[in-house]
C-alpha cells in the first residue's frame, strides 16, 4: 500500500449558504494516481482548490505529511497545479514560463537552464524554449503547463480537468503520457475529471463524488465491478438499473421473477436497486433464457452492438459482439455474480 | 484589515478629489450673493438670469440644433459607411478603418485649425454650416466604431437563412440585418450627440461671428472671470450629461445582457 | 452586388474634410505667399527652433509629462482597487469614474477656477486659520493640477479594463509556483497591465500636450503652451505658415511618443477604450 501524504479530515465548504462540500474525509498515498470523479457541481474542483490552498475550508483540516496546512497560502505549499485552461503567462515565452518557479527559488542560471531542458524533454517539447505561448497549439500549451508545474519537483501535482479543452485523439494520447510521466517521476497526482473513461484508464484510485459528498473510493476495478450505489453504477459506464426486492439473502426478485445472487445482509423484502452491466447480459435462444424480450433497436458501436430489448415491460440495454436483427424474440441469461444489489439512495 | 481600510480611504480621497469641485460648483449656483466662498442664502435667480441672457439662450439653441443635425447626418452616413466597409476586401477595409481612427487620434486643436484653413481657402462663410460640417466630421468615426462591432458579431448565416427562406436582399437587410445592428447605431447616435454637445476646441476654430455654442460662450465668459450664471449653465449641462450617460449605459448593459443570453 | 460602394460617400467626406485639411497644414508649413507668388521655404520650421519657442515646447512637454506621471501614480492603485472590488458595488464605482470624464472639460476646469481664485473657497477656508495665501491661480502647479484633475479618469479606466480581464487562474498559477503577492504583482500583474498603462499614458499625455484651454484658464493670459501658441498664430497674429509648422512639429511629437508608448501594446488589448 501507499504511505499517506495528504489527508482531508471532515472538510466542509459552502458558498453563499450553498453547501458544496460535506464532511469530506480522504487519504491520499505517496506516488498514488488519485482521480476525483463526478458530474459538474459535485465539489471535485473545490476539493482540489482546498488542497492547493486557493480556497479555505469552512471547517475540517488539510494534513500534508502529518502537518496541518489549513492556513498556508499556495506559495508556501510544496505542491503544484496544472490549471483547467493552463493559465500560462502570455507575456513570457516558454522558457520564462517554466523558469518562473525556479527564479523565485533564486536558483542559479545554469541550474535553471538544465532543469528547463530536462522538463521540456520529459513533455516531448525539446527546443521550444524561445516560443511565444500564443504561437503554440492547445496540446503544446497543455504540455508547457505540465512542465511548468513539474519543474518545481513537487511531491504532489494537482490537475484540474487538464485535458478538457483537447480533442478526443489528443486527449487519449495525453492520458497515456500523463500516466507515463507520473510513473516515471514517482510523485502523487491528484486528478479532477468528469470523464469516467479517463478516470478508469489512468487512476490507481478513483474517488466518486456527488453533491459534495464522497460516494465511493476504490480501484477502477472495484468501482466498475462493485459500485456501492446506483449513482456510481450509472456514472461509471452504462448500466441497467431496475427496481427489485431482496426477498432473503442470496435471493432477489425483479422483472417478475426470482434470481439467485451473491449479495446478503439486507432486510427481508427490502426494496433495492438491481444493477446489471449491459455486457453481462447474454443473449440466448428464447427457450433457454431467464427473461425474454423483443429487440427494439440495434446500433453498431465499433467493437460491439448495442441493443435495446423490450421484455417484461422493461427496456434492457445489452452489449454483444453478436447482432440479433430488430424484432427478433430473444432470451436473456444473467449469472448470479453479475447481479449487483444496492441499497436505494434516498432521493432528496 | 489594514489593507482594506487603506483601500477605502484611498478610494474616498480620489472620489473626493473628483467630485468636490463639481459639487461645490453646483451648490454655489444656488447662492444668493456672487461670493464663491460664503453661503448667503438659497436662490434660483442665477438660473432665471441665465434664461434671460440672450447670448446664453442663442448658444443653447445652436448647441442643440447642431448636435441633433450633425448626429443624425453622421448616423445615417456612418451606418451606410460601416456596411460598405464591412463588405470591403481586406486591404481597402484596413485602410478605411485606419482612416476612421485618424480624427479620433488627431489632437482636436489640429483638426480645428485644419478645417478652419479649409473653410477660409474655399471662401466658405464660417458660421452655422461650417460648424455643422466640422461636427459631422468628428462624429462620423464614433458612429462607425459603434456599428462595426455589431456587424462583426452578426451571424452571416442569418442573412443567408433569410434569403433561403425567400426574402429578397433588401427585405432580408431590413428585417434581419438592420434589427441586429440597431443597438450599435443608436449607441453611435447618442455618442455623437454627447461628443457634439461637449465639443469646444473644434467648434471654437470652425465657427464664425454671431454663432457660438454653449462651450464657446462659457469659455469667453470664464476668460473674463467667474460668475454664478456660469455655475448655473454648467450645472444644467452636468445634469444633461448624466441623463445621457444613464440612457447609454442602460442600453449597453441591455445589449450585453442579450449577448450573454445567446452565449 | 457591390455593397462596398456604400463606403464611398464616407470616403469622399473624409478626403475633403480630414485628409485635405491636414495636407493644407503640411503645405502651409513650407510655403510663403507674397506679391510675387508662392515660394517654398523652411523659414517657419527654422523659427520653431528659436530658443523662445523651444522653451514653450519644452515647458509643454515637461508639464504634460509631469501630469501623466502623477496620473499614473494616483491612477494605478485606484484601477487596482476598482478591479479587485467585487460585485454590484464595483460597477457603481466604475460608473462614478466615468461620469466626470464625460463632463465638459471647461466645466471641470472652471470648477477649479472658482475654488482657487483669491476669494474662492479654498483661500477663504485657509484664511480662517490666519494664513494669507498668495494667489493660488495662474501658476505652473495650478495648470498641472487642472490637467491631473481633467485626465485622471483617462488613466484609470484603460488600466482598470485591462486589469479586470486578467484571468484569475494566471494569478493563482503564479502563487502556486511560489510567488508571494508582491512577486505576483511585479512579475505577472504589472507586465500584463502594460497595454492598459500605455493607452492610459497616450490618453493623458496627448490632450495634456495639446490643450490651450486649461493653460489659459488656470495659467492666465501669459501662460503659454504649444496649444496657446498655435491658437495665437491662427486667431491673433494670423501667421498661418508658422502656426502650421508648429502644428506639424506637434503632430510629430505625438506620433513619436505614441510609438514609444505603443511598444508594449503588442496585441492591442488596451485599445478598446477611446
Amino acid at each position: 500500500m501507499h504511505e499517506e501524504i495528504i489527508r482531508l479530515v471532515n472538510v466542509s465548504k459552502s458558498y453563499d449558504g450553498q453547501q458544496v462540500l460535506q464532511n469530506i474525509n480522504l487519504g491520499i498515498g505517496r506516488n498514488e494516481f488519485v482521480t476525483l470523479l463526478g458530474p459538474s457541481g459535485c465539489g471535485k474542483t473545490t476539493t482540489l482548490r482546498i488542497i492547493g490552498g486557493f480556497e479555505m475550508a469552512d471547517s475540517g483540516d488539510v494534513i500534508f505529511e502529518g502537518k496541518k496546512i489549513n492556513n498556508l497560502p499556495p506559495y508556501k505549499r510544496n505542491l503544484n497545479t496544472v490549471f483547467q485552461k493552463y493559465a500560462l503567462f502570455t507575456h513570457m515565452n516558454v522558457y520564462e514560463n517554466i523558469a518562473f518557479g525556479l527564479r523565485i527559488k533564486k536558483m542559479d542560471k545554469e541550474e535553471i537552464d538544465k532543469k528547463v531542458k530536462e522538463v521540456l524533454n520529459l513533455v516531448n517539447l525539446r527546443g521550444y524554449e524561445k516560443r511565444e505561448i500564443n504561437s503554440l497549439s492547445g496540446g503544446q500549451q497543455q504540455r508547457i503547463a505540465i512542465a511548468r508545474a513539474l519543474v518545481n519537483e513537487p511531491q504532489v501535482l494537482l490537475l484540474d480537468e487538464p485535458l478538457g479543452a483537447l480533442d478526443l485523439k489528443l486527449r487519449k494520447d495525453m492520458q497515456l503520457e500523463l500516466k507515463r510521466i507520473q510513473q516515471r517521476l514517482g510523485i502523487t497526482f491528484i486528478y479532477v475529471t468528469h470523464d469516467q473513461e479517463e478516470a478508469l484508464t489512468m487512476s490507481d484510485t478513483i474517488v466518486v463524488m456527488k453533491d459534495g459528498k464522497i460516494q465511493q473510493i476504490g480501484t477502477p476495478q472495484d468501482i466498475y465491478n462493485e459500485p456501492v450505489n446506483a449513482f456510481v453504477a450509472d456514472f461509471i459506464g452504462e448500466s441497467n438499473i431496475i427496481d427489485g426486492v431482496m426477498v432473503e439473502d442470496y435471493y432477489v426478485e425483479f422483472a417478475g421473477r426470482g434470481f439467485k445472487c451473491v449479495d446478503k445482509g439486507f432486510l427481508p423484502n427490502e426494496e433495492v436497486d438491481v444493477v446489471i452491466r449491459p455486457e453481462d447480459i447474454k443473449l440466448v435462444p428464447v427457450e433457454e433464457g431467464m427473461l425474454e424480450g423483443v429487440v427494439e433497436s440495434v446500433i453498431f458501436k465499433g467493437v460491439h452492438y448495442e441493443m435495446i430489448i423490450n421484455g417484461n415491460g422493461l427496456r434492457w440495454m445489452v452489449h454483444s459482439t453478436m447482432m440479433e436483427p430488430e424484432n427478433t424474440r430473444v432470451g436473456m441469461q444473467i449469472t448470479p455474480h453479475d447481479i449487483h444489489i444496492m441499497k436505494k439512495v434516498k432521493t432528496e | 484589515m489594514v489593507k482594506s481600510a487603506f483601500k477605502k480611504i484611498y478610494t474616498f480621497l480620489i472620489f473626493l478629489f473628483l467630485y468636490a469641485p463639481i459639487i461645490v460648483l453646483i451648490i454655489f449656483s444656488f447662492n444668493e450673493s456672487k461670493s464663491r466662498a460664503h453661503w448667503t442664502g438659497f436662490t434660483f435667480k442665477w438660473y432665471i438670469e441665465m434664461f434671460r441672457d440672450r447670448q446664453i439662450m442663442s448658444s443653447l439653441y445652436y448647441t442643440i440644433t447642431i448636435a441633433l443635425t450633425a448626429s443624425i447626418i453622421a448616423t445615417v452616413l456612418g451606418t451606410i459607411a460601416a456596411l460598405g466597409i464591412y463588405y470591403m476586401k481586406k486591404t481597402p477595409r484596413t485602410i478605411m478603418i485606419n482612416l476612421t481612427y485618424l480624427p479620433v487620434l488627431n489632437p482636436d486643436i489640429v483638426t480645428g485649425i485644419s478645417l478652419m484653413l479649409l473653410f477660409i481657402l474655399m471662401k466658405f462663410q464660417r458660421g452655422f454650416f461650417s460648424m455643422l460640417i466640422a461636427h459631422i466630421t468628428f462624429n462620423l468615426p464614433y458612429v462607425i466604431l459603434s456599428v462595426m462591432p455589431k456587424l462583426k458579431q452578426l451571424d452571416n448565416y442569418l442573412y443567408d437563412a433569410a434569403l433561403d427562406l425567400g426574402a429578397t436582399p433588401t427585405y432580408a437587410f431590413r428585417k434581419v440585418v438592420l434589427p441586429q445592428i440597431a443597438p450599435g447605431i443608436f449607441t453611435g447616435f447618442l455618442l455623437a450627440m454627447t461628443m457634439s454637445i461637449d465639443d469646444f476646441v473644434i467648434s471654437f476654430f470652425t465657427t464664425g461671428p454671431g454663432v457660438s455654442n454653449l462651450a464657446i460662450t462659457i469659455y469667453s465668459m470664464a476668460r473674463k472671470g467667474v460668475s454664478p450664471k456660469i455655475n448655473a449653465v454648467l450645472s444644467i449641462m452636468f445634469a444633461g450629461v448624466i441623463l445621457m450617460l444613464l440612457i447609454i449605459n442602460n442600453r449597453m448593459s441591455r445589449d450585453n445582457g442579450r449577448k450573454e443570453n445567446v452565449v | 452586388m457591390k455593397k462596398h460602394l456604400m463606403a464611398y460617400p464616407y470616403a469622399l467626406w473624409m478626403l475633403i474634410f480630414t485628409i485635405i485639411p491636414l495636407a493644407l497644414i503640411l503645405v502651409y508649413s513650407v510655403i510663403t505667399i507674397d506679391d510675387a507668388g508662392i515660394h517654398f521655404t523652411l523659414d517657419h520650421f527654422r523659427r520653431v527652433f528659436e530658443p523662445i519657442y523651444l522653451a514653450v515646447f519644452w515647458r509643454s512637454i515637461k508639464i504634460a509629462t509631469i501630469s501623466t506621471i502623477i496620473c499614473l501614480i494616483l491612477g494605478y492603485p485606484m484601477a487596482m482597487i476598482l478591479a479587485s472590488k467585487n460585485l454590484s458595488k464595483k460597477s457603481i464605482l466604475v460608473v462614478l469614474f466615468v461620469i466626470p470624464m464625460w463632463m465638459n472639460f471647461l466645466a471641470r476646469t472652471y470648477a477649479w477656477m472658482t475654488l482657487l481664485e483669491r476669494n474662492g473657497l479654498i483661500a477663504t477656508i485657509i484664511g480662517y486659520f490666519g494664513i494669507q495665501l498668495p494667489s493660488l491661480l495662474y501658476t505652473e502647479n495650478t495648470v498641472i493640477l487642472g490637467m491631473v484633475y481633467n485626465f485622471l479618469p483617462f488613466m484609470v479606466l484603460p488600466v482598470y479594463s485591462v486589469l479586470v480581464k486578467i484571468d484569475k487562474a494566471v494569478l493563482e498559477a503564479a502563487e502556486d509556483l511560489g510567488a508571494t503577492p508582491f512577486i505576483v504583482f511585479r512579475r505577472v500583474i504589472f507586465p500584463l497591465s502594460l497595454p492598459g498603462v500605455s493607452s492610459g499614458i497616450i490618453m493623458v499625455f496627448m490632450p495634456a500636450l495639446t490643450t490651450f484651454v486649461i493653460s489659459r484658464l488656470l495659467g492666465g493670459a501669459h501662460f503659454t503652451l504649444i496649444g496657446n501658441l498655435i491658437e495665437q498664430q491662427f486667431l491673433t497674429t494670423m501667421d498661418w505658415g508658422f502656426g502650421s509648422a508648429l502644428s506639424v512639429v506637434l503632430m510629430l511629437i505625438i506620433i513619436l511618443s505614441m510609438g514609444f508608448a505603443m511598444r508594449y501594446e503588442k496585441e492591442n488589448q488596451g485599445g478598446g477604450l477611446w
Side-chain angles (χ1 to χ4, degrees):
Chain A
M1 253 332 271
H2 300 281
E3 177 202 346
E4 192 167 277
I5 184 163
I6 289 177
R7 171 154 285 278
L8 301 182
V9 186
N10 281 325
V11 167
S12 295
K13 172 92 188 166
S14 54
Y15 294 116
D16 308 322
Q18 183 121 28
Q19 188 93 24
V20 287
L21 289 181
Q22 276 178 55
N23 289 320
I24 297 292
N25 284 289
L26 176 64
I28 291 166
R30 216 176 272 283
N31 307 348
E32 202 178 358
F33 196 124
V34 179
T35 300
L36 307 180
L37 175 67
S40 62
C42 72
K44 55 192 191 303
T45 294
T46 308
T47 308
L48 194 78
R49 289 173 63 81
I50 285 174
I51 299 173
F54 306 114
E55 314 258 356
M56 299 286 164
D58 296 340
S59 61
D61 292 321
V62 184
I63 316 276
F64 185 77
E65 297 194 304
K67 278 183 231 117
K68 263 197 215 176
I69 55 164
N70 294 5
N71 295 316
L72 211 60
Y75 53 90
K76 289 189 180 148
R77 296 192 182 195
N78 194 5
L79 31 80
N80 288 112
T81 308
V82 177
F83 290 84
Q84 220 165 59
K85 284 175 197 133
Y86 322 141
L88 293 170
F89 306 126
T90 47
H91 60 296
M92 301 175 184
N93 63 19
V94 167
Y95 181 92
E96 289 299 322
N97 263 278
I98 297 176
F100 190 90
L102 304 176
R103 289 246 159 92
I104 289 165
K105 289 182 192 137
K106 303 257 187 303
M107 203 172 271
D108 66 61
K109 179 106 180 52
E110 278 162 42
E111 187 83 10
I112 295 179
D113 276 350
K114 205 179 113 221
K115 292 205 177 232
V116 172
K117 210 166 234 158
E118 274 173 19
V119 80
L120 277 174
N121 277 346
L122 183 71
V123 297
N124 287 329
L125 285 176
R126 196 168 303 130
Y128 273 68
E129 286 90 341
K130 290 272 148 55
R131 294 281 291 269
E132 292 296 325
I133 296 303
N134 289 328
S135 73
L136 302 178
S137 70
Q140 290 167 335
Q141 292 192 9
Q142 171 64 69
R143 285 157 199 261
I144 299 301
I146 293 166
R148 184 180 68 176
L150 286 177
V151 78
N152 301 289
E153 294 168 9
Q155 285 156 287
V156 178
L157 187 69
L158 310 178
L159 304 102
D160 186 5
E161 307 222 12
L163 308 182
L166 304 180
D167 62 53
L168 187 65
K169 175 80 174 67
L170 209 51
R171 200 152 72 214
K172 296 265 180 215
D173 294 346
M174 282 304 291
Q175 285 172 10
L176 297 176
E177 198 159 328
L178 277 173
K179 187 70 192 164
R180 173 183 66 83
I181 290 171
Q182 189 255 341
Q183 279 165 346
R184 198 166 130 200
L185 299 178
I187 61 173
T188 309
F189 273 34
I190 306 178
Y191 192 98
V192 161
T193 184
H194 62 261
D195 181 338
Q196 42 101 4
E197 214 179 305
E198 203 164 279
L200 292 173
T201 320
M202 305 165 78
S203 323
D204 299 324
T205 305
I206 295 178
V207 180
V208 185
M209 296 179 71
K210 184 202 172 201
D211 297 336
K213 281 182 253 173
I214 292 179
Q215 305 291 314
Q216 187 172 8
I217 303 178
T219 64
Q221 291 79 2
D222 288 348
I223 301 247
Y224 191 84
N225 294 328
E226 301 297 332
V228 293
N229 59 33
F231 168 78
V232 176
D234 192 37
F235 194 74
I236 307 285
E238 282 158 313
S239 295
N240 296 290
I241 301 174
I242 312 122
D243 292 329
V245 174
M246 198 70 183
V247 179
E248 53 182 67
D249 284 356
Y250 310 118
Y251 189 77
V252 63
E253 272 183 19
F254 60 87
R257 60 158 290 175
F259 291 82
K260 279 196 192 123
C261 64
V262 295
D263 295 271
K264 57 168 181 157
F266 293 85
L267 302 171
N269 291 322
E270 184 177 342
E271 290 191 10
V272 291
D273 284 324
V274 178
V275 173
I276 302 165
R277 297 282 180 196
E279 66 272 25
D280 290 339
I281 300 176
K282 254 193 251 30
L283 294 185
V284 291
V286 180
E287 53 291 355
E288 292 169 30
M290 299 162 139
L291 296 161
E292 60 171 271
V294 179
V295 178
E296 214 174 67
S297 69
V298 182
I299 301 167
F300 182 54
K301 288 285 211 176
V303 181
H304 59 261
Y305 293 91
E306 180 176 299
M307 285 163 277
I308 303 292
I309 292 166
N310 192 338
N312 297 50
L314 294 165
R315 283 203 166 77
W316 303 85
M317 182 192 281
V318 177
H319 289 173
S320 166
T321 49
M322 305 291 284
M323 193 263 276
E324 296 290 341
E326 282 179 24
N327 297 324
T328 332
R329 280 199 85 79
V330 292
M332 291 179 280
Q333 185 91 32
I334 309 161
T335 56
H337 72 264
D338 287 330
I339 297 173
H340 307 289
I341 311 294
M342 282 151 210
K343 278 194 182 300
K344 283 252 183 217
V345 184
K346 286 190 189 68
T347 43
E348 295 97 280
Chain B
M1 284 304 114
V2 180
K3 233 171 112 188
S4 104
F6 171 78
K7 278 185 182 178
K8 281 198 182 112
I9 293 168
Y10 192 80
T11 311
F12 173 77
L13 286 176
I14 292 281
F15 276 98
L16 184 72
F17 175 61
L18 281 179
Y19 277 91
I22 299 173
I23 291 167
V24 170
L25 180 109
I26 294 173
I27 290 174
F28 278 92
S29 74
F30 295 106
N31 193 11
E32 177 76 48
S33 78
K34 271 198 162 195
S35 167
R36 267 82 59 193
H38 299 279
W39 181 258
T40 49
F42 185 86
T43 179
F44 276 120
K45 90 174 165 203
W46 304 113
Y47 286 87
I48 296 165
E49 262 197 45
M50 175 189 93
F51 283 112
R52 288 212 186 111
D53 187 313
R54 268 240 181 113
Q55 201 196 352
I56 292 177
M57 283 301 109
S58 113
S59 42
L60 179 68
Y61 164 79
Y62 281 124
T63 304
I64 293 173
T65 328
I66 288 189
L68 263 178
T69 323
S71 14
I72 290 171
I73 296 175
T75 304
V76 174
L77 194 59
T79 305
I80 294 171
L83 283 164
I85 295 171
Y86 179 69
Y87 288 115
M88 274 178 158
K89 287 197 192 76
K90 196 164 182 298
T91 320
R93 189 171 62 212
T94 316
I95 294 171
M96 287 306 287
I97 288 173
N98 283 327
L99 189 66
T100 304
Y101 272 108
L102 188 64
V104 181
L105 296 175
N106 211 13
D108 281 356
I109 188 170
V110 176
T111 308
I113 55 162
S114 68
L115 278 166
M116 182 179 106
L117 273 184
L118 179 82
F119 291 135
I120 292 175
L121 288 174
M122 286 176 23
K123 304 247 163 21
F124 192 96
Q125 173 73 45
R126 273 183 301 150
F128 182 86
F129 285 102
S130 60
M131 199 158 126
L132 182 66
I133 288 173
H135 278 234
I136 294 171
T137 308
F138 73 71
N139 279 339
L140 271 168
Y142 292 100
V143 176
I144 292 174
L145 295 175
S146 304
V147 177
M148 284 301 276
K150 290 278 165 217
L151 280 170
K152 270 185 207 152
Q153 279 171 24
L154 200 69
D155 183 353
N156 273 322
Y157 292 114
L158 281 181
Y159 180 72
D160 292 349
L163 295 186
D164 181 70
L165 294 169
T168 60
T170 339
Y171 188 85
F173 175 77
R174 255 190 326 120
K175 291 285 175 181
V176 177
V177 176
L178 206 54
Q180 300 263 332
I181 59 170
I185 298 176
F186 193 67
T187 307
F189 171 75
L190 287 178
L191 214 52
M193 274 287 279
T194 317
M195 300 307 286
S196 211
I197 291 175
D198 208 46
D199 177 69
F200 164 71
V201 176
I202 296 171
S203 310
F204 183 66
F205 287 105
T206 52
T207 189
V211 182
S212 57
N213 65 6
L214 272 176
I216 297 174
T217 307
I218 291 164
Y219 179 68
S220 56
M221 285 167 80
R223 246 189 332 185
K224 286 175 213 137
V226 292
S227 143
K229 235 192 296 181
I230 307 180
N231 289 31
V233 180
L234 292 177
S235 304
I236 286 194
M237 280 175 79
F238 187 52
V241 166
I242 288 184
L243 196 73
M244 201 87 129
L245 262 181
L246 284 177
I247 299 171
I248 295 181
N249 204 51
N250 207 4
R251 283 200 67 84
M252 282 187 169
S253 57
R254 247 199 304 158
D255 289 353
N256 287 343
R258 210 175 294 157
K259 203 163 59 195
E260 273 156 28
N261 287 342
V262 173
V263 173
Chain C
M1 235 189 324
K2 288 179 177 157
K3 290 183 194 151
H4 64 272
L5 289 180
M6 289 193 285
Y8 282 37
Y10 166 69
L12 185 69
W13 184 286
M14 291 298 277
L15 178 71
I16 299 176
F17 296 111
T18 299
I19 297 179
I20 291 181
L22 285 178
L24 281 178
I25 289 190
L26 278 178
V27 170
Y28 266 95
S29 70
V30 291
I31 57 166
T32 63
I33 302 170
D34 56 29
D35 299 337
I38 299 170
H39 312 280
F40 175 82
T41 177
L42 284 177
D43 279 352
H44 305 310
F45 282 102
R46 224 166 272 141
R47 252 183 93 193
V48 171
F49 290 97
E50 282 171 16
I52 127 165
Y53 299 119
L54 275 184
V56 173
F57 270 98
W58 168 239
R59 182 189 218 180
S60 304
I61 292 172
K62 187 184 78 181
I63 288 182
T65 309
I66 293 173
S67 306
T68 308
I69 291 170
I70 295 176
C71 280
L72 185 61
I73 293 170
L74 289 180
Y76 199 98
M78 193 62 231
M80 282 189 73
I81 293 173
L82 285 179
S84 73
K85 287 254 182 207
N86 27 22
L87 295 165
S88 59
K89 229 171 133 198
K90 177 157 92 178
S91 59
I92 295 171
L93 284 179
V94 174
V95 170
L96 279 176
F97 237 96
V98 174
I99 287 174
M101 200 165 115
W102 286 88
M103 206 185 156
N104 195 297
F105 76 107
L106 271 171
R108 286 180 274 165
T109 310
Y110 176 82
W112 277 103
M113 259 180 94
T114 63
L115 278 178
L116 293 174
E117 62 167 343
R118 200 152 20 94
N119 302 317
L121 195 60
I122 290 177
T124 311
I125 290 173
I126 291 174
Y128 286 138
F129 298 100
I131 304 165
Q132 283 303 315
L133 286 177
S135 173
L136 292 167
L137 272 180
Y138 309 137
T139 70
E140 195 169 284
N141 290 335
T142 323
V143 176
I144 292 174
L145 171 75
M147 287 181 178
V148 171
Y149 181 72
N150 269 294
F151 306 135
L152 182 62
F154 293 95
M155 179 66 81
V156 173
L157 291 171
V159 175
Y160 160 79
S161 66
V162 173
L163 285 178
V164 285
K165 269 189 246 148
I166 294 179
D167 185 0
K168 265 248 164 66
V170 172
L171 308 184
E172 285 180 352
E175 266 194 90
D176 182 75
L177 296 167
T180 57
F182 175 70
I183 296 181
V184 175
F185 174 78
R186 196 169 57 90
R187 299 274 325 268
V188 182
I189 297 177
F190 187 71
L192 283 175
S193 72
L194 280 178
V197 171
S198 75
S199 17
I201 289 175
I202 292 171
M203 287 173 72
V204 173
F205 186 76
M206 228 180 62
L209 186 68
T210 60
T211 185
F212 65 92
V213 177
I214 297 172
S215 45
R216 177 69 179 76
L217 293 182
L218 296 178
H222 300 289
F223 194 93
T224 309
L225 296 182
I226 315 176
N228 304 86
L229 205 56
I230 294 176
E231 183 214 348
Q232 278 164 26
Q233 304 315 311
F234 283 95
L235 296 184
T236 322
T237 52
M238 294 300 176
D239 189 345
W240 294 358
F242 183 47
S244 297
L246 286 169
S247 306
V248 172
V249 174
L250 177 66
M251 282 193 280
L252 282 178
I253 294 175
I254 284 172
I255 291 168
L256 280 178
S257 47
M258 270 174 77
F260 187 70
M262 292 271 214
R263 273 198 320 190
Y264 294 104
E265 210 160 338
K266 273 188 221 153
E267 284 144 51
N268 199 23
Q269 290 157 320
L273 234 165
W274 29 263

